[in-house]
Amino acid sequence: MTSRGRRKVETPMVLSTSPRSRAHLRLVSPADAGTAPRYGGDADRRLAAILAAEDVAEEHGLSAHIRTTCYVHRCWVHQCISDPLHVLVVTGHRWCRRCDRTVEVEVDEAAPGSVELHCDGCGVPPDTVANREVLQSCRTSLSAMHGGEASTLYVVPDS
């Protein structure tokens, strides 16, 4: 209450951020990797370009959970998805909520490639939004790896 007997009404703090504009976007090319110092020394220039593009795309709204590359391991996500670092219990990525254990990932890199998830605990394939994101990221990663010099679908803002 205030000194005049009126009740002080507190308005809740609302954080409002609008998504960044995707105007002026373009396709990424292997040449773009040279502009990212973090990946400048990577031998696979196409992978480096996509790593750099996904870093920028993440700043512009791309979900980190659907990347096709891993900025920590500097490789295609399907190549390191079995690393314990990629188990996210809170979000359910590579996690079976039915039996509270890590979901295993089987990747076959031979073209066209395949990815499967399974739980050794309950034997039931984990069909959650988070685990579908894991599958989609890995399948897209496999496809991108086999794509050779083809343009990628990732876009980065023009400088």
Side-chain angles (χ1 to χ4, degrees):
M1 292 216 150
T2 64
S3 60
R4 294 187 177 222
R6 287 188 245 153
R7 178 169 285 218
K8 183 178 179 184
V9 178
E10 292 191 31
T11 55
M13 180 189 298
V14 178
L15 298 176
S16 175
T17 58
S18 59
R20 293 183 181 174
S21 170
R22 291 189 176 251
H24 307 18
L25 294 176
R26 61 183 167 74
L27 290 176
V28 67
S29 70
D32 290 317
T35 63
R38 180 175 187 165
Y39 310 113
D42 292 2
D44 184 341
R45 302 312 300 149
R46 184 165 180 279
L47 173 61
I50 296 173
L51 277 159
E54 285 185 338
D55 287 352
V56 174
E58 232 184 293
E59 294 172 10
H60 291 272
L62 176 74
S63 169
H65 299 297
I66 60 170
R67 287 182 66 122
T68 61
T69 60
C70 175
Y71 71 90
V72 174
H73 297 110
R74 293 183 181 202
C75 64
W76 299 105
V77 78
H78 71 272
Q79 294 173 327
C80 66
I81 193 66
S82 60
D83 188 288
L85 182 66
H86 291 289
V87 176
L88 302 172
V89 178
V90 173
T91 61
H93 290 81
R94 285 203 50 225
W95 188 255
C96 179
R97 290 190 173 141
R98 179 184 299 249
C99 61
D100 288 333
R101 23 183 334 166
T102 300
V103 169
E104 299 301 320
V105 183
E106 289 182 22
V107 178
D108 177 6
E109 278 193 344
S114 67
V115 183
E116 293 189 22
L117 302 179
H118 66 278
C119 176
D120 288 338
C122 64
V124 177
D127 187 25
T128 62
V129 171
N131 285 313
R132 285 191 297 270
E133 286 179 343
V134 170
L135 281 172
Q136 182 63 37
S137 291
C138 289
R139 289 174 179 159
T140 304
S141 173
L142 273 165
S143 177
M145 182 186 79
H146 290 300
E149 296 300 315
S151 296
T152 70
L153 297 178
Y154 292 98
V155 290
V156 295
D158 285 326
S159 309

